[in-house]
Amino acid sequence: GGAKMAAGSGGGPAARELFAEGLLQFLRPAVRQLDGHVHAVRESQVELREHIDSLATELCRINEDQKVALDLDPYVKKLLNARRRVVLVNNILQNAQERLRRLNHSVAKETVRRKAMLEAAGGYPQGLPGK
């Protein structure tokens, strides 16, 4: 009884498959766009880390060249702490981007599978027998 009831709800299996297909088509561009944004943020994080490294090196050089006792160590430590946080954020973004890529791959695979099921079930008009 449960299978018959499930098949009857929502306009039948073909209608549910069409809805799922539409949902997948809707999700794919959003996932790709999000992946692009994450990639751009990761690139800017790498650039920021390089600037922090450069600034820390320059501060150390200035500190060594100073005749006057100017203690720049606290600033260097703050920069290195900021760099560490940038690296942590970059790792988080990298993991998120990897999950997005896997999701995008799954969505694409599911779309292909559902199209094949619809064609096999005759969900598309003029389906050729034996294909």
Side-chain angles (χ1 to χ4, degrees):
K4 192 174 187 180
M5 193 170 89
S9 64
R16 284 196 306 275
E17 289 298 324
L18 282 171
F19 174 76
E21 168 88 15
L23 187 59
L24 289 171
Q25 293 296 334
F26 172 76
L27 284 176
R28 185 179 298 132
V31 170
R32 284 190 184 139
Q33 184 180 22
L34 191 55
D35 184 57
H37 289 314
V38 170
H39 182 72
V41 171
R42 283 185 60 206
E43 283 182 352
S44 70
Q45 291 279 310
V46 168
E47 191 177 326
L48 178 59
R49 190 181 69 221
E50 288 169 356
H51 285 302
I52 288 173
D53 288 345
S54 171
L55 187 54
T57 302
E58 189 66 21
L59 279 176
C60 287
R61 189 189 63 72
I62 289 170
N63 204 22
E64 289 167 4
D65 291 349
Q66 286 298 317
K67 306 283 188 264
V68 184
L70 183 64
D71 189 18
L72 294 177
D73 283 344
Y75 301 104
V76 172
K77 284 179 184 167
K78 283 182 182 180
L79 274 173
L80 293 177
N81 192 29
R83 183 194 188 281
R84 183 184 58 80
R85 288 195 305 263
V86 166
V87 169
L88 287 173
V89 168
N90 199 34
N91 289 341
I92 291 167
L93 286 170
Q94 190 173 356
N95 291 336
Q97 191 171 33
E98 186 53 41
R99 285 194 296 261
L100 278 170
R101 285 193 179 130
R102 286 196 303 263
L103 178 61
N104 194 27
H105 179 72
S106 296
V107 166
K109 229 166 85 173
E110 184 66 12
T111 300
V112 168
R113 187 185 74 78
R114 287 183 181 275
K115 270 187 184 170
M117 281 176 57
L118 274 174
E119 287 170 356
Y124 291 128
Q126 305 300 322
L128 296 176
K131 275 203 166 186

